[in-house]
Each structure stands twice: as C-alpha cells, then as structure tokens.
Amino acid sequence: MSNGKSGLQLRSLLKKSGELELSLVDVPTPEPADDEVVVRVEATPINPSDLGLLIGPADMSTAKVSGSEDTPVVTAKMPEAALRMMAARLDQSLPVGNEGAGVVIRTGSSDAAKALMGKNVSMIGGAMYSQYRTMKVRDVMELPAGTTPADGASWFVNPLTALGMTETMRRENHKALVHTAAASNLGQMLNKICIKDGIGLVNIVRSKEQADILHKIGAKHVVDSTVDSFMDDLTNALVETGATIAFDAIGGGKLAGQILTCMESAANKTAKEYSRYGSNVYKQVYIYGSLDNRPTELSRAFGLTWGVGGWLLTPFLQKIGPAEIGKLRQRVASELKTTFASHYTQVVSLQETLQLSNIAVYNKRATGEKFLINPNKG
C-alpha cells in the first residue's frame, strides 16, 4: 500500500440500533486532477471538534474491541437521547479528522500543483485520519522550510480560532476578552497572540496546575473557578482589563452566567451613575465548545444589556471572506513555531488510535493530553 494507490482510513459509523462502530477501511486514493495533489498524511491532531464526530456522547464504558491487530473494530453504545439528535448521520460510515499535514507524493499537471511535489504541506478538508488524501491545491499550504508535518499539523483549527476570537473582539468593538478552559493548546496560543498584540486577556482555569502553565508563558490575568474568591478575582481582572466579551469552551453549568455577572459588577464599579436596569455596557459571551454537556444556567444578575450566543470558526471565516482569511493564514504560517506551536503528549498510528487504553485518555479532553495521529507510522 506504500504507493499511495489506496490506504487505510478511520471511519465512524452510528447504526440505527444505537451502536457506534469505529473501524479502519481500505479506500482507493483518487488520481489527482490538474489542480490537485496526493498527500501522504503524517500528522493529524485529535481535536475536541474531531472527537464530536469520532465518539460524541457514546458511552465508552460499554466499548469493546474485535477484529485483528491490523484492522481493529471498536463498538460502543450511544445513549437514546443522543441518537435522536444524530438522526441525520445514522447508518453512514463517516471519515474523521479536520486538519493535518504530510508530504506531497503525486501531483496534477498544473504549475501550482507540480511546484508542491515532495513538499511538506498542511491541509484542511476532513477525512485526515487517512494514509493518503487527494487535495485541491487551494486547500493545502506549503509549510515554511524546516517545518515538519508534526509542526504544521494543527495549523488551522486552533490558530484560526484564536485569531478569530481577537478579530471578533475588534469587529464588535470590545477592547479585551475572557477565555475559559484557558490552559488548552488553543488557550496558550490566544495568550501568545494577546501578549504580542497588546490585548488584555482574562484566563479562567480550573486548577493551580493550569494557572502555572499560563503564568509560565507570561499570562497576566489568570483566575481559578474552583477557589472561593473566584467571583471577586474575576471582577477585579475585568476591571483591570475592561474585558466585555468572553469565549467559553465549557458551555454547560453556571460559568457563562457568572462571567456576565462579574462583567456587570465591573461595569458598575466604574459607572458614573446608577441605573435600575443595570449598566448599559454591552456584555457578550460566545459559547464555542461543550466540555460540559449540561444545560447552560443563567441567573440573571446582570441587567439587560447582554448577549449569549454560539460561535463557530467556519461561519466566522465565511463572514470575513477569502482576502481576510489569507491574511490570517499568512500570520499562522510565519509564526508556526512560536505563537502557534502545539504540544502533543503522544503520537499514535491509526491502529493505536483504536486501542481502548488510548481512547480513555484522549476522550477525557484533559489539558496537557493531546494526541497526534501519524496514519503512516510504521
């Protein structure tokens, strides 16, 4: 299979019976059209957005492995409520993996395609948990000299999400921002961007270890949501930064409401006069993840000038258009090893991705436990 004419691809299938099945399928690699290249995939991260498709809310305590060592099959039960939400994907075998990087091994006839032969490239476009991908030239980016596929594997989702947050902040006339689950790879990138660009950033974490990670890279405002003084600490950080927009990766529980409450307190501390309708400073929380699947609770102690909404990278990029996306991509390429460096704790093959012991680790989505898949790992 090393010629790239066909290769293994990781698939996620949710059956009508309520069983989730993860398996490796041998798929043909399409011959490249004029404006296409064939990439041997050597690095693709397991992001929370990938886990949503790969495993989602399946009950992994019911997981079993069958098949052979080369082609393992993992099955697990999907809870009844989740099945209803996922009606649209039932009985479809879906490829997984939003982004990745690798080496161009064949090209189409266009000059742009031929110029990429033998080059390390990063790419976006799904089905990255595959040994080979045939891609349009416009969906790959040549990596700067001296950059490995592992360096460029996470060039899109986290870097552009972090830049999308600061860009949204500017476009919506806020001057500083709040981020939760802030010690993640994404959170560390956001800190580096904000330090470099002189933007105030309030980081909300859930442990002293996470706070230490951020302090080490120069974060100024870090508050721990598990300590008794959390609300006071957060309010003080909001007064100091003037942050009135937050990006929340947690989603469920009380946190979004607590952030709005503290934004209101901070606004009132600096207000010139009292208003019985609450402050007229506009406060916005965007929920962009669901590390907590419970309902979002809002105890409305923050007046009437606020919004809670969802934020996703793809619609944001569609809104700003190709020229602006090009500028953001250029920045990522030039700062891949600094601002946008990702750290992985483990590199696994496609087969190892389906080992229950590995699934148990990466499906926790814990800070500091990020896996990279090398589909061509020997």
Side-chain angles (χ1 to χ4, degrees), residues 91-141:
D91 289 336
Q92 295 176 67
S93 175
L94 300 172
V96 189
N98 286 314
E99 63 183 336
V103 183
V104 174
I105 57 168
R106 284 206 301 288
T107 78
S109 56
S110 75
D111 291 343
K114 291 207 292 227
L116 291 169
M117 185 63 197
K119 298 276 179 32
N120 286 347
V121 295
S122 51
M123 49 194 167
I124 179 82
M128 292 301 158
Y129 299 173
S130 308
Q131 290 184 308
Y132 303 99
R133 283 290 274 120
T134 302
M135 302 293 299
K136 290 219 176 306
V137 170
R138 64 159 189 263
D139 293 327
V140 307
M141 179 175 77

Side-chain angles (χ1 to χ4, degrees), residues 318-374:
Q318 283 162 344
K319 193 164 75 184
I320 66 171
E324 289 298 313
I325 295 172
K327 282 185 208 160
L328 298 182
R329 276 172 61 153
Q330 222 20 73
R331 177 166 184 185
V332 176
S334 61
E335 298 176 39
L336 254 184
K337 288 187 160 182
T338 50
T339 312
F340 301 108
S342 283
H343 307 284
Y344 307 99
T345 41
Q346 213 162 326
V347 179
V348 290
S349 65
L350 286 173
Q351 289 83 357
E352 289 164 339
T353 305
L354 295 183
Q355 285 174 5
L356 294 186
S357 54
N358 285 331
I359 294 175
V361 179
Y362 64 68
N363 199 36
K364 281 202 312 245
R365 305 168 197 214
T367 296
E369 287 283 3
K370 195 165 178 76
F371 277 58
L372 188 69
I373 302 173
N374 178 352

